[in-house]
Amino acid sequence: MAEITKKWYKEMSVYQIWCRSFCDSNGDGIGDLPGVYSKLDYIQSLGVDGIWFSPIYPTPNCDYGYDISDYKSINPEYGTLDDFKMILDDCHRRGMKVFMDLVVNHTSSEHEWFKESRKSADNPYHDYYFWRKGKGKKPPNNWLSVFEGGAWEYDKNLDEYYLHVFAKGQPDLNMDNPKVREEVKSIMRFWLDMGVDGFREDVITFISKAEGLPDGFPLPIATGIEHYKHGPHLEEYLDEFRAVMKEYDCFAVGEGPQMGLKDAVELCSEGPSQKLDMLISFDHMNCDCFMVDWIKRPFSLRKLKNVYDRWQHEMYGKGWNSLYIENHDHARIIDRYGDVKFRVESGKMLATMYTMQCGTPFIYQGQEIGMTNIEINHLYDYKDVMTFNNYRLFHKLLGYSEKRFCKLASQVSRENARTPVQWSAEKNAGFTTADKAWFNINPNYKEINVEQAEKDPKSILNHYRKLLKFRKENEIVIYGDFKQYYKSSDKLFVYERNYQGQKLLVICSFSADPVRFKAPEGIDLSAGELVINTYDVLDPGENEFSTKPYEARVYLFK
Ligand code: NOJ
């Protein structure tokens, strides 16, 4: 059996904060750092060991912070560097870590480097970005951006185009320029010297572009992606960044869109050539859609189980998995893989299903209380560049009306995860004292909110607390291997973990209807202890039973 090494980052679980929608302290309708500070007791009470902040740097907000105009400062909408340091110190006092989002595939077009770069072709910053002459009246190649039509924007003054794989306001940095890599290292050191414990690295696997920027295979979006999704110098550049990380006891999780398991094993395998501690992969988030969230298809449990099976096996003893089912880039999971009619039941089951696997669990704000998607009926109520780009595409290519589009967006848009956190049943869900929050608040806040969940011992919130506590107290959850049963079932996800003579059996029903469960051969439930359950169980030792809607159980055998 593969040897497994113990590391602190394998034992932690992490809470993700998307600050704008977390908690507003000064009544301007926008979440901020003093708001986060005021909720540290709550965050710690979940049993997490760290916080990952989605970008909190100055930004013109063309992609809500993923367009950074100053890497060494704090967005004034959110507070000051002192506010941040207060959180950092307090987290450390509490034994919690703090991770920053390192967004270096691109900057904001408002960043000083970019402003300089567009002054003239001989400006020292010109080569920080991809400035190219057009081909006649056409852009330098046929690449399309992920967010906004063509991937090249023309600058009249220079008579050149710049590359932006994401929005126009997010010009790509030219990582082939050693000076740019030095800047990245200096940013890393700035935060690490302050005491930050590591980074989530945004689309880090896109940082190396193929030589000559050749034309790509035509697609409706992101044409050219094959030339940068795992570019020729990726490993080399990651090695350079890793060398900085090694000076500190910190960790890095890299976001890797379109990265497969093979890439993950290659980048995350432990040893001298390890590039990343773990990867944020997407395979398991594609089980109700085709390639991208916007192309919907019915949820397939078999597909989900198959993905987990492969990742759990392949990474075991080599690298390490990051485990997540929500973040700021996807619609809420209960609407996707669960059942809003059984919100609490399916929310608890999904929580159990992923946190009991081998890897580091990430929990996104609001996920712990089972927040759900929001219905928005007008385009003008949306905020996100990606939603607008999809409207353009769905309208132009498929003739979608605004109404039809909004219906789809209410199911799939990432904005579903960006509504303000619902703290209480008070006005604006207790998120802000302003008349209006910066973004729509889900009208279901009167029933779904933290205050209510605190009072209910059977809430999703209290279930998360149980799971994380159990994980912390039982090494088998962290270090055990993974074996699946009943692989062909499209209703049950049953797996086992084994570690140092102990066994954990996880049983999850993905169905509102009763499903007949029979203990796998050789396992006697009466010999185990029911350690996690989402319903009261009269006879936990029964080896055959019918599941309740979205029931989950975990048995421990010592
Ligand atoms: C991935 C981030 O998670 C997403 O929110 C962002 O829009 C893109 N990278 C571009 O930075």
Side-chain angles (χ1 to χ4, degrees), residues 18 52 54 63 66-67 101 103 105-106 147 166 170 200 202-203 255 257 282 327-329 384-386 414 418:
W18 200 78
W52 146 33
S54 271
D63 186 14
Y66 283 92
D67 49 322
D101 218 311
V103 187
N105 175 67
H106 44 266
F147 283 167
F166 291 93
Q170 294 169 298
R200 177 265 188 191
D202 187 66
V203 289
E255 189 198 25
F282 286 70
N327 62 33
H328 64 294
D329 283 334
D384 178 27
V385 58
M386 195 175 190
R414 63 183 186 173
R418 298 179 175 192

Side-chain angles (χ1 to χ4, degrees), residues 403-517:
K403 197 168 159 210
R404 187 165 171 217
F405 175 79
C406 288
K407 200 163 169 233
L408 174 66
S410 295
Q411 297 173 327
V412 302
S413 144
R414 63 183 186 173
E415 295 193 68
N416 285 294
R418 298 179 175 192
T419 62
V421 169
Q422 296 160 204
W423 293 102
S424 71
E426 276 159 39
K427 191 181 158 212
N428 288 325
F431 163 75
T432 178
T433 54
D435 284 342
K436 218 170 157 346
W438 78 277
F439 187 35
N440 291 21
I441 289 177
N442 198 316
N444 65 18
Y445 73 89
K446 294 229 157 101
E447 301 86 60
I448 305 173
N449 61 65
V450 173
E451 212 172 86
Q452 178 281 331
E454 287 285 10
K455 283 189 216 138
D456 178 2
K458 296 194 167 168
S459 64
I460 300 178
L461 173 65
N462 283 315
H463 190 69
Y464 268 101
R465 287 182 172 137
K466 263 184 226 151
L467 289 165
L468 297 185
K469 182 165 183 284
F470 181 75
R471 181 178 184 275
K472 182 150 282 178
E473 289 170 354
N474 291 274
E475 282 200 327
I476 183 169
V477 186
I478 301 163
Y479 294 116
D481 64 4
F482 178 94
K483 176 177 166 189
Q484 208 195 144
Y485 291 104
Y486 309 129
K487 287 190 185 178
S488 60
S489 168
D490 58 2
K491 302 234 161 41
L492 294 180
F493 186 9
V494 182
Y495 61 86
E496 149 189 313
R497 311 279 312 276
N498 283 289
Y499 188 65
Q500 295 185 335
Q502 293 193 356
K503 184 190 295 298
L504 196 74
L505 185 73
V506 182
I507 307 161
C508 296
S509 164
F510 276 72
S511 171
D513 300 322
V515 186
R516 205 67 198 148
F517 169 82

Side-chain angles (χ1 to χ4, degrees), residues 282-293 297 303-304 330 336-337:
F282 286 70
D283 285 1
H284 69 291
M285 297 305 281
N286 282 339
C287 299
D288 64 347
C289 58
F290 182 70
M291 306 277 284
V292 290
D293 295 20
R297 60 179 171 182
K303 183 156 191 240
L304 182 72
H330 303 279
R336 297 184 62 186
Y337 294 3

Side-chain angles (χ1 to χ4, degrees), residues 98-309:
V98 175
F99 309 110
M100 294 296 263
D101 218 311
L102 185 72
V103 187
V104 293
N105 175 67
H106 44 266
T107 68
S108 159
S109 51
E110 296 296 309
H111 194 288
E112 280 310 315
W113 303 336
F114 188 73
K115 288 194 201 157
E116 284 294 316
S117 88
R118 71 191 313 170
K119 283 188 181 158
S120 70
D122 54 17
N123 185 286
Y125 288 93
H126 194 66
D127 195 36
Y128 268 42
Y129 296 88
F130 292 94
W131 284 103
R132 295 288 184 277
K133 288 282 177 210
K135 281 191 183 150
K137 288 224 162 335
K138 287 199 176 149
N141 68 21
N142 72 344
W143 292 10
L144 293 181
S145 85
V146 178
F147 283 167
E148 270 190 307
W152 294 95
E153 191 66 10
Y154 182 64
D155 184 284
K156 217 165 142 215
N157 175 36
L158 285 172
D159 185 29
E160 285 182 1
Y161 293 78
Y162 70 84
L163 175 69
H164 62 92
V165 157
F166 291 93
K168 287 181 192 141
Q170 294 169 298
D172 281 60
L173 279 167
N174 173 15
M175 209 57 80
D176 299 331
N177 180 344
K179 284 196 198 131
V180 172
R181 303 202 297 278
E182 286 312 313
E183 299 278 13
V184 173
K185 291 180 221 168
S186 142
I187 296 164
M188 293 171 80
R189 288 205 172 91
F190 176 82
W191 294 102
L192 292 169
D193 286 337
M194 197 184 294
V196 156
D197 303 283
F199 300 103
R200 177 265 188 191
E201 300 183 350
D202 187 66
V203 289
I204 198 70
T205 48
F206 283 10
I207 57 174
S208 165
K209 286 23 177 207
E211 195 134 337
L213 309 176
D215 275 345
F217 180 80
L219 297 167
I221 58 164
T223 295
I225 191 164
E226 69 274 29
H227 297 304
Y228 58 78
K229 73 171 185 184
H230 188 159
H233 302 290
L234 174 65
E235 278 79 5
E236 198 181 309
Y237 301 160
L238 288 179
D239 278 343
E240 278 189 39
F241 303 153
R242 185 90 184 161
V244 177
M245 306 280 294
K246 278 190 185 150
E247 297 165 19
Y248 304 78
D249 182 23
C250 61
F251 111 117
V253 51
E255 189 198 25
Q258 303 239 351
M259 286 273 123
L261 181 51
K262 209 170 135 263
D263 304 292
V265 171
E266 185 192 321
L267 298 175
C268 303
S269 278
E270 288 167 35
S273 63
Q274 181 175 12
K275 323 274 176 236
L276 294 166
D277 295 308
M278 41 186 138
L279 197 76
I280 298 176
S281 60
F282 286 70
D283 285 1
H284 69 291
M285 297 305 281
N286 282 339
C287 299
D288 64 347
C289 58
F290 182 70
M291 306 277 284
V292 290
D293 295 20
W294 286 79
I295 308 179
K296 260 191 91 60
R297 60 179 171 182
F299 169 63
S300 162
L301 175 60
R302 295 249 285 263
K303 183 156 191 240
L304 182 72
K305 295 199 305 183
N306 188 25
V307 169
Y308 278 135
D309 201 81

